[in-house]
Amino acid sequence: MRKIKTIIAVFCLVVLTICVVWFFRSLSHTDINLDNDGDTSMSPTLVTSIQNIGQWEFLTIHDEELVDTIRRGIFSDDELIRIYYGTLRIGIDMKSLRPGDIQSEGDSVSISLPKVTLLDDNFIDEARTMSFYESGSWNDAAREEMYQRAKAKMKERCLTPENIKTAQDNAATQMRQFLRSMGFKRFAITQHQ
């Protein structure tokens, strides 16, 4: 588990670095304003640029789920067992920033981040889904029902309070690094309720 957390932390750092480099390349020189005292302030263009980051991933969980179903018959039973693989990405959609979520004064900034959520509800890799055992004939509706069961089980297992807390902590850490790189010395980071 510790190795997975280390890999996730390294991955998040790489993503953050890429985002920061992209972010600063997309800014014009007037986006970060330095007044005569050398204080940093946020311009409306900078706030829009932060929103344009889009989805910011803070935790990735790979999961697999074995789902089975049995259809009872008069002479024999039909059985279908399938294995589903999924990658759940937990993070923040920065486009959800609301007016007033970012406030700055001098070298201080306060930001209220959108809630950490599952970024994509289509997280099952259908190309890797395979039938483990199949007897009888099964229609698309039966396979769809199994797909939905696998999806619900993966969400239940992976979207735990502990994983959400880990993603929130990663979000706060990366946002602090991001704001520090922009020249802010003091910051308060909260999340929407």
Side-chain angles (χ1 to χ4, degrees):
M1 185 67 171
R2 185 168 285 187
K3 186 176 181 180
I4 291 173
K5 286 184 179 180
T6 303
I7 291 170
I8 291 170
V10 169
F11 176 76
C12 290
L13 231 58
V14 169
V15 170
L16 174 66
T17 303
I18 291 169
C19 287
V20 168
V21 168
W22 171 83
F23 180 75
F24 281 112
R25 285 188 180 178
S26 69
L27 294 176
S28 68
H29 293 291
T30 59
D31 289 340
I32 299 176
N33 301 318
L34 294 175
D35 61 19
N36 293 337
D37 297 333
D39 290 337
T40 307
S41 65
M42 296 285 226
S43 71
T45 307
L46 183 60
V47 173
T48 301
S49 295
I50 290 173
Q51 288 175 323
N52 288 338
I53 290 173
Q55 293 185 335
W56 199 347
E57 185 177 318
F58 298 109
L59 184 63
T60 302
I61 304 169
H62 300 283
D63 195 20
E64 63 183 65
E65 187 66 45
L66 180 84
V67 180
D68 66 340
T69 188
I70 297 175
R71 186 173 47 214
R72 304 278 180 209
I74 297 173
F75 299 108
S76 68
D77 297 336
D78 293 339
E79 188 172 6
L80 179 59
I81 302 172
R82 299 188 69 149
I83 301 173
Y84 296 87
Y85 297 91
T87 303
L88 291 84
R89 292 176 171 82
I90 303 170
I92 293 174
D93 187 353
M94 297 303 280
K95 292 186 185 300
S96 299
L97 279 174
R98 302 177 300 211
D101 280 349
I102 302 175
Q103 302 290 323
S104 70
E105 184 177 320
D107 64 352
S108 301
V109 64
S110 68
I111 184 166
S112 178
L113 295 173
K115 284 181 85 169
V116 169
T117 61
L118 180 64
L119 293 175
D120 185 5
D121 200 47
N122 297 317
F123 54 83
I124 291 181
D125 184 353
E126 296 197 53
R128 292 182 61 203
T129 297
M130 64 177 94
S131 289
F132 182 72
Y133 178 79
E134 186 171 351
S135 66
S137 62
W138 295 89
N139 61 21
D140 289 339
R143 293 177 196 277
E144 177 64 22
E145 187 270 331
M146 290 179 73
Y147 172 87
Q148 293 302 330
R149 281 179 33 214
K151 190 175 183 180
K153 286 182 179 184
M154 286 182 184
K155 282 182 175 181
E156 182 181 338
R157 183 175 26 262
C158 298
L159 298 178
T160 63
E162 295 82 16
N163 286 340
I164 297 297
K165 173 85 168 85
T166 299
Q168 289 172 335
D169 292 346
N170 290 342
T173 299
Q174 290 185 32
M175 185 54 73
R176 276 195 288 286
Q177 291 171 347
F178 179 69
L179 294 171
R180 200 174 287 126
S181 72
M182 291 175 51
F184 291 102
K185 293 182 175 68
R186 296 182 304 206
F187 26 80
I189 300 170
T190 59
Q191 291 199 338
H192 297 170
Q193 297 301 322

